[in-house]
Amino acid sequence: MQITKEQRVDETSAMIDDIEVREDPRASEIVLETRDLDVYYGAFRAVRDVGLRIRANEITAMIGPSGCGKSTVLRCFNRMNDLIESARVEGEVRYHDVDLYGDKIDAVEVRRRIGMVFQKPNPFPKSIFDNVAYGPRVAGQRRGLDDLVERSLQRAALWDEVKDRLKDSALGLSGGQQQRLCIARALAVDPDVLLMDEPCSALDPIATGRIEELMQEIKHDYTIVIVTHNMQQAARVSDRTAFFTAEVNEESDRRTGLLVEYDRTQNIFSNPSDGRTEAYVTGRFG
Amino acid sequence: MKLGTVLPDQTRKDVERRLQRGGIDFGGFVFRLALVSCLVFALLVLLVLVADVFDRGFGVLTDRGLDFLSAPLRTRADEAGIFQSLRGTFWIGVFVVALAFPFGIGAAIYLEEYAPDNRLTRLIDVNIRNLAGVPSVVYGILGFSIFVKAADGFFPGSVGDHAGKTTAAAGVTLAVLVLPIVIITSAEAIRAVPREIREASYGVGATQWDTIRTNVLPYAAPGILTGTLLSLARALGEAAPLILVGAVQGRLGSRTGFFEPEQLSEQFTAMPITITDWATKPANSGFVENTAAAIIVLLVVVLLANAVAILLRNRFENKRAGR
Ligand SMILES: Nc1ncnc2c1ncn2[C@@H]1O[C@H](COP(=O)(O)OP(=O)(O)OP(=O)(O)O)[C@@H](O)[C@H]1O
Ligand SMILES: [Mg+2]
């Protein structure tokens, strides 16, 4: 039987409604929402039909096997995919109900509100201070940078380690410090949402712990979406979890990613409703 | 079990014996020898050339000192200097720096950062590469048929046969000659900027221009610098296109001073031209020594440009590496 686009929409929204019913009515406002999101790299459809609702002041985790399109979806949230020439986005990505891919939307403004921390720490080859001050500076801020840099570094739990060497190059920091610096840099522009793509994958357990603590501390002011391969991490830090997987489908021989299940983290890990989710979180798959 | 039956020290000996290399790696040794001889040969040829030039020309420089640099071109070897040639070479360098650098780097930035990745862009890219391989005489013909004519119209004072065959025309010709090299090397340096750095910049809300200005260009600076200054050295050593643009061989008036821009609208010569001219004079005329001395001067000029390039590059690289 042919499944039309509308039917799929219905299914997706039915799934979302399902979750709504089960959750408490005081659930916070929806910050980011995708509807029927498809992302292509050239002719290859990397992910299909993603419907997600991300709520304010929550930590949402995205898990799933490698290549299932977690990064791809995450990068749609701040239009980072614009930098990849072959990438094409279909469907809707809404931020406070505004279509991020609308005609008049400026990707630069989007990224000022929706910040990103990358898998590999990527400090600029500049001083620690200049790294953190970079975002505010390109936004035109000239005054109060000292305070802002201090506050951001404090929030990222890095201040005490670097306060005497702000003028030193950021490349002299350890990997874990560099990643916290990147978080401070993202926080310095005071975004609304923080997207984190496997932020701890290059870090030791201590640095990972610090970043997880940090996420808990700042989630009252921000909305956080984190991609992780670390199941315990997702279970520890997140309020909701989205499980993606990749499957072969009729239109290409490469595997296309899709959202299997999205629910409160507790449910995903203890009582998943989809067999694929259960297999993955119990380690029998991927 | 196997482990239990073998005594520990026997195992250690065994392992040691296996880990120690047996015999010499003959093939590797021959290969290394071949590579070293390639290097020695290349260096030797260079060394002999330089030694020969110094042997002939150094005397002239020590005997006459600054006089050799400041004396005008003359027919008597012991009076002749290279004033006009140095002046011409200097102004050609000015043109290359003022025209080829900004236009070349600008074009590279556009091609790498802004141009859409389509067939037209790729066609342009390939053709710039081809242009870099075009023989320099061809640029001389271009200079003669376009820039000399243009200079003729631009500087109405000059008349007769020499009209338009000016320093300005020569400078523009050589700037155009090295333009493709500047574009290619700059584009390569820009392309080598890691994606992570761009993403980090865009990720905190920087515009494309912010990203290019504050991250891409500083990161690419060492590469751009090396490429551009090497192209300057190339321009300063070119003779063939200058001959076509009307460089004067032999006598040339020296009315204008070294740094006076009036020079631009006048006839010119340059170091490579003077060197080729003097090199064809009779063996006992004294010009053989002068030729060698002029070569030394040109070498020093080019080496200075390279030294500046290396110094600046190291500074940028240190900054980039956070030292
Ligand atoms: N720039 C790109 N060009 C072409 N294909 C890409 C590009 N980036 C990702 N893909 C493809 O899209 C699919 C999803 O990739 P993505 O990086 O989003 O996966 P992921 O879930 O983040 O994987 P991982 O857990 O390994 O990071 C993969 O098949 C990948 O090969
Ligand atoms: Mg990824």
Side-chain angles (χ1 to χ4, degrees):
Chain A
M1 198 189 78
Q2 273 250 308
I3 301 175
T4 65
K5 192 92 180 171
E6 276 99 89
Q7 275 171 300
R8 272 208 310 251
V9 177
D10 288 346
E11 276 172 34
T12 324
S13 43
M15 191 171 101
I16 292 169
D17 290 341
D18 241 19
I19 300 169
E20 310 273 292
V21 173
R22 268 188 274 155
E23 75 195 351
D24 70 302
R26 289 173 297 135
S28 58
E29 153 197 29
I30 294 167
V31 174
L32 281 165
E33 177 176 10
T34 67
R35 291 184 196 157
D36 286 317
L37 178 69
D38 289 2
V39 187
Y40 295 80
Y41 291 110
F44 166 59
R45 181 151 81 156
V47 289
R48 65 179 171 94
D49 311 320
V50 175
L52 261 180
R53 286 179 176 177
I54 286 158
R55 292 181 177 277
N57 308 119
E58 287 191 351
I59 298 176
T60 306
M62 297 183 15
I63 60 169
S66 202
C68 67
K70 305 177 296 294
S71 301
T72 301
V73 171
L74 193 73
R75 292 164 63 92
C76 289
F77 288 143
N78 69 343
R79 303 234 341 218
M80 216 54 177
N81 282 335
D82 291 16
L83 304 186
I84 299 169
E85 205 133 351
S86 69
R88 188 162 53 82
V89 171
E90 274 182 14
E92 283 175 62
V93 182
R94 295 192 158 265
Y95 169 66
H96 292 293
D97 211 30
V98 177
D99 185 2
L100 284 183
Y101 284 86
D103 283 342
K104 293 195 178 133
I105 302 295
D106 181 0
V108 171
E109 290 300 327
V110 171
R111 296 185 199 119
R112 281 187 186 152
R113 285 164 185 77
I114 306 178
M116 192 157 203
V117 177
F118 300 82
Q119 173 170 357
K120 204 175 128 212
N122 56 355
F124 299 125
K126 303 178 190 294
S127 73
I128 293 170
F129 184 94
D130 287 344
N131 262 276
V132 182
Y134 185 79
R137 275 183 179 147
V138 297
Q141 184 172 344
R142 290 286 171 272
R143 285 147 190 253
L145 286 175
D146 289 344
D147 283 347
L148 181 58
V149 168
E150 177 173 348
R151 244 184 303 133
S152 307
L153 285 168
Q154 253 157 4
R155 296 218 91 169
L158 189 61
W159 174 251
D160 290 333
E161 286 158 71
V162 300
K163 63 173 182 247
D164 300 322
R165 47 193 281 215
L166 293 176
K167 293 266 174 298
D168 292 2
S169 169
L171 301 183
L173 297 174
S174 76
Q177 290 173 326
Q178 287 187 1
Q179 191 64 303
R180 275 178 284 148
L181 178 70
C182 292
I183 295 175
R185 183 176 64 191
L187 295 179
V189 289
D190 196 25
D192 183 24
V193 181
L194 198 57
L195 308 174
M196 307 176 104
D197 194 348
E198 300 183 40
C200 304
S201 63
L203 306 186
D204 70 21
I206 297 171
T208 302
R210 300 195 70 153
I211 287 178
E212 287 179 7
E213 267 169 43
L214 164 72
M215 289 169 69
Q216 295 298 347
E217 278 163 30
I218 64 176
K219 81 173 205 182
H220 305 292
D221 299 318
Y222 301 90
T223 302
I224 299 174
V225 185
I226 178 175
V227 171
T228 177
H229 276 290
N230 182 334
M231 229 60 82
Q232 287 87 18
Q233 182 171 58
R236 270 196 307 265
V237 301
S238 72
D239 300 293
R240 275 167 222 271
T241 298
F243 170 64
F244 290 78
T245 193
E247 285 172 359
V248 220
N249 60 329
E250 62 282 354
E251 66 189 61
S252 95
D253 48 357
R254 289 182 65 184
R255 302 192 319 153
T256 295
L258 70 157
L259 174 62
V260 174
E261 193 172 349
Y262 177 45
D263 203 340
R264 290 196 166 279
T265 298
Q266 213 181 337
N267 295 341
I268 291 282
F269 283 95
S270 56
N271 186 22
S273 53
D274 195 294
R276 292 169 292 184
T277 315
E278 186 177 8
Y280 188 76
V281 298
T282 53
R284 280 186 283 119
F285 171 86
Chain B
M1 251 176 53
K2 199 181 167 202
L3 268 180
T5 58
V6 181
L7 286 169
D9 61 339
Q10 274 178 324
T11 325
R12 204 191 72 87
K13 278 230 172 70
D14 201 38
V15 170
E16 194 174 15
R17 193 172 48 77
R18 278 161 193 274
L19 289 183
Q20 282 168 352
R21 291 199 300 148
I24 28 164
D25 177 6
F26 190 68
F29 177 74
V30 169
F31 187 55
R32 221 164 101 178
L33 200 70
L35 294 181
V36 169
S37 12
C38 289
L39 180 68
V40 168
F41 178 72
L43 285 181
L44 217 62
V45 170
L46 211 70
L47 210 71
V48 168
L49 274 175
V50 172
D52 183 50
V53 166
F54 267 79
D55 183 39
R56 288 162 196 257
F58 205 64
V60 177
L61 290 176
T62 46
D63 286 352
R64 297 187 44 199
L66 282 180
D67 176 49
F68 183 69
L69 305 181
S70 60
L73 299 164
R74 290 216 177 92
T75 38
R76 280 192 49 182
D78 53 354
E79 289 178 349
I82 53 170
F83 176 74
Q84 294 99 322
S85 326
L86 259 186
R87 185 181 60 189
T89 290
F90 167 77
W91 283 102
I92 287 169
V94 168
F95 269 85
V96 170
V97 172
L99 288 180
F101 286 11
F103 279 93
I105 296 171
I109 295 173
Y110 177 78
L111 279 176
E112 286 304 312
E113 298 288 322
Y114 291 96
D117 185 21
N118 57 23
R119 202 167 294 166
L120 180 68
T121 309
R122 279 194 290 273
L123 191 78
I124 292 174
D125 200 67
V126 167
N127 277 300
I128 292 173
R129 273 159 209 284
N130 289 337
L131 279 180
V134 169
S136 56
V137 244
V138 177
Y139 282 96
I141 294 170
L142 176 87
F144 175 70
S145 55
I146 297 178
F147 301 132
V148 170
K149 299 256 147 64
D152 187 21
F154 194 74
F155 304 116
S158 55
V159 279
D161 244 13
H162 307 310
K165 294 178 174 173
T166 57
T167 310
V172 174
T173 304
L174 287 191
V176 169
L177 167 77
V178 298
L179 192 57
I181 309 173
V182 175
I183 297 176
I184 293 171
T185 48
S186 305
E188 239 131 57
I190 290 170
R191 203 172 308 152
V193 176
R195 219 180 103 141
E196 289 82 25
I197 288 189
R198 293 171 200 270
E199 288 190 332
S201 176
Y202 286 116
V204 288
T207 61
Q208 187 166 20
W209 168 232
D210 291 327
T211 305
I212 292 172
R213 186 171 49 89
T214 54
N215 280 302
V216 173
L217 289 183
Y219 196 95
I224 293 178
L225 230 110
T226 314
T228 47
L229 281 156
L230 283 178
S231 73
L232 175 65
R234 156 109 197 259
L236 298 186
E238 280 290 342
L242 293 184
I243 295 173
L244 284 166
V245 181
V248 176
Q249 312 197 24
R251 288 181 59 91
L252 171 68
S254 62
R255 281 184 296 133
T256 49
F258 197 90
F259 295 108
E260 283 172 26
E262 282 79 50
Q263 160 68 18
L264 297 186
S265 60
E266 300 195 354
Q267 282 193 288
F268 72 99
T269 191
M271 293 297 295
I273 299 291
T274 303
I275 289 168
T276 41
D277 181 33
W278 283 355
T280 53
K281 304 235 160 162
N284 54 2
S285 65
F287 274 106
V288 175
E289 289 73 24
N290 279 2
T291 309
I295 290 175
I296 295 173
V297 173
L298 183 60
L299 275 179
V300 169
V301 169
V302 170
L303 285 181
L304 272 181
N306 283 350
V308 171
I310 291 169
L311 279 179
L312 283 173
R313 192 188 60 200
N314 287 350
R315 261 192 60 176
F316 279 119
E317 267 177 354
N318 284 344
K319 217 167 149 194
R320 189 169 85 182
R323 283 191 287 266

